[in-house]
């Protein structure tokens, strides 16, 4: 399986080399663009999730401090916000799981790139004879 880093760094090479396997360039290009799009969505969702988790942690600490200062009403308001944010966090975590599954399936559907020494061809006759052994 090709890695995301390899695909991102070598998009044109992946398309060119998979043509050796007789896969149309348009099909490979579509697959590669789909993988990159899903990965971008994963990164965006992960960023939202991380920001929400950080915000939630900050608010939770603030609730504790407000209780220590005797500001119970303010603490309850922030506590309600933290509870509401937990629902969003759960939703984003479910979305992340779905996106990761999509990305894994897309990566698995993209064939490996043949070595540079592999010639292009449709049949055995297109192979290069390197050495012939006597029978």
């Amino acid at each position: 399986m090709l890695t995301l880093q390899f695909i991102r760094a070598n998009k044109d090479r992946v398309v060119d080399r998979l043509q050796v396997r007789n896969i149309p360039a348009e099909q490979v290009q579509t697959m590669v663009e789909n993988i990159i799009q899903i990965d971008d969505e994963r990164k965006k969702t992960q960023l939202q999730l991380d920001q929400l988790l950080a915000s939630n942690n900050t608010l939770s600490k603030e609730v504790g401090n407000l209780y220590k200062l005797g500001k119970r009403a303010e603490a309850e308001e922030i506590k309600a916000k933290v509870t509401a944010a937990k629902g969003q966090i759960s939703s984003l975590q479910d979305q992340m799981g779905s996106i990761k599954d999509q990305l894994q399936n897309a990566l698995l559907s993209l064939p490996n790139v043949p070595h540079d020494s592999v010639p292009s061809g449709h049949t055995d006759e297109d192979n290069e004879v390197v050495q012939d052994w006597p029978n």
Side-chain angles (χ1 to χ4, degrees):
M1 179 172 80
L2 300 175
T3 64
L4 279 167
Q5 294 81 7
F6 181 83
I7 293 169
R8 280 187 180 275
N10 303 293
K11 288 192 295 189
D12 295 334
R13 181 170 182 246
V14 170
V15 172
D16 290 341
R17 293 307 300 157
L18 285 177
Q19 287 179 19
V20 171
R21 294 184 72 170
N22 299 315
I23 302 172
E26 302 82 31
Q27 181 181 354
V28 177
Q29 187 70 33
T30 302
M31 293 170 81
V32 167
E33 293 301 325
N34 184 41
I35 288 169
I36 291 172
Q37 181 183 17
I38 293 170
D39 188 46
D40 289 342
E41 180 69 21
R42 179 193 61 80
K43 288 178 180 180
K44 184 178 120 188
T45 305
Q46 184 67 52
L47 180 65
Q48 290 174 342
L49 182 60
D50 291 345
Q51 289 173 341
L52 195 55
L53 286 169
S55 173
N56 213 21
N57 286 341
T58 303
L59 289 175
S60 294
K61 288 178 185 177
E62 192 175 327
V63 167
N65 290 336
L66 288 173
Y67 273 125
K68 287 179 187 176
L69 296 173
K71 299 180 179 181
R72 188 173 189 89
E74 290 178 38
E76 291 299 325
E77 287 177 26
I78 294 175
K79 197 173 179 183
K81 288 180 185 179
V82 169
T83 304
K86 285 182 181 180
Q88 284 182 304
I89 290 171
S90 177
S91 174
L92 282 174
Q93 287 173 334
D94 292 343
Q95 188 177 354
M96 274 297 291
S98 173
I99 291 171
K100 284 182 179 180
D101 288 343
Q102 281 181 327
L103 183 59
Q104 184 71 14
N105 290 334
L107 286 170
L108 289 172
S109 69
L110 185 68
N112 284 331
V113 176
H115 190 268
D116 291 334
S117 65
V118 175
S120 181
H122 295 284
T123 64
D124 291 341
E125 286 78 36
D126 295 325
N127 291 335
E128 296 176 23
V129 176
V130 177
Q131 187 173 4
D132 196 12
W133 295 94
N135 290 335

